[in-house]
């Protein structure tokens, strides 16, 4: 049924004048260890409306996707985990780079942070553990 879902999403985008926003990356602690079950939320920046919520995987990976109106262009990514300082990051709809979220412990002197992964981090952290497997000969909709 992935093909049907992809076609339904594409139809909704074309008919309603919607577009999408996505955020993906990896959540680590200050020592570089992945954080499992961290909460990750994307909100529309102007209204604060929650668009999508997820939890990080055991590898620290997260992936959020939401349909939005074309006029919505700024969003807030919020991440947190028990015993960790929460963090918020404002981004534009065209943000495509995987993100590195470092959540500091509640008693740590440093704050939690969010930034785009460097190319080498993307290869060694995100692509290795988080990137979806590609299927040779498949298009972005999963069709041949």
């Amino acid at each position: 049924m992935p093909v049907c879902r992809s076609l339904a999403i594409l139809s909704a985008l074309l008919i309603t004048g919607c577009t999408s926003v996505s955020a993906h990356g990896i959540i680590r602690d200050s020592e570089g260890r992945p954080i499992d079950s961290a909460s990750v939320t994307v909100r529309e920046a102007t209204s604060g409306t929650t668009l999508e919520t997820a939890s990080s995987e055991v590898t620290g990976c997260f992936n959020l996707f939401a349909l939005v109106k074309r006029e919505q262009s700024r969003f807030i990514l919020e991440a947190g985990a028990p015993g960790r300082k929460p963090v918020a990051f404002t981004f534009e709809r065209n943000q495509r780079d995987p993100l590195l979220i470092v959540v500091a412990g509640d008693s740590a002197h440093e704050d939690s942070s969010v930034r785009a992964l460097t190319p080498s981090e993307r290869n060694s952290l995100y692509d290795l553990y988080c990137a979806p497997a590609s299927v040779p000969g498949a298009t972005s909709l999963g069709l041949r």
Side-chain angles (χ1 to χ4, degrees), residues 72-140:
Q72 295 173 306
S73 61
R74 290 181 53 85
F75 304 91
I76 300 170
L77 176 81
E78 299 172 340
R84 308 275 174 188
K85 294 179 182 179
V87 65
F89 173 73
T90 302
F91 66 101
E92 301 292 325
R93 183 176 51 233
N94 60 358
Q95 160 67 36
R96 299 287 180 236
D97 295 324
L99 300 171
L100 174 62
I101 300 176
V102 177
V103 287
D106 281 337
S107 61
H109 295 303
E110 70 272 2
D111 289 330
S112 295
S113 62
V114 180
R115 65 172 173 79
L117 287 165
T118 66
S120 65
E121 290 171 330
R122 181 178 180 145
N123 290 335
S124 64
L125 296 176
Y126 183 78
D127 289 346
L128 186 61
Y129 299 105
C130 305
S134 62
V135 178
T139 68
S140 61

Side-chain angles (χ1 to χ4, degrees), residues 11-19:
S11 296
L13 292 173
L14 294 173
I15 293 169
T16 63
C18 291
T19 187

Side-chain angles (χ1 to χ4, degrees), residues 59-70:
T59 56
C61 304
F62 70 91
N63 189 16
L64 296 165
F65 174 86
L67 294 177
V68 297
K69 295 176 184 173
R70 289 204 184 278

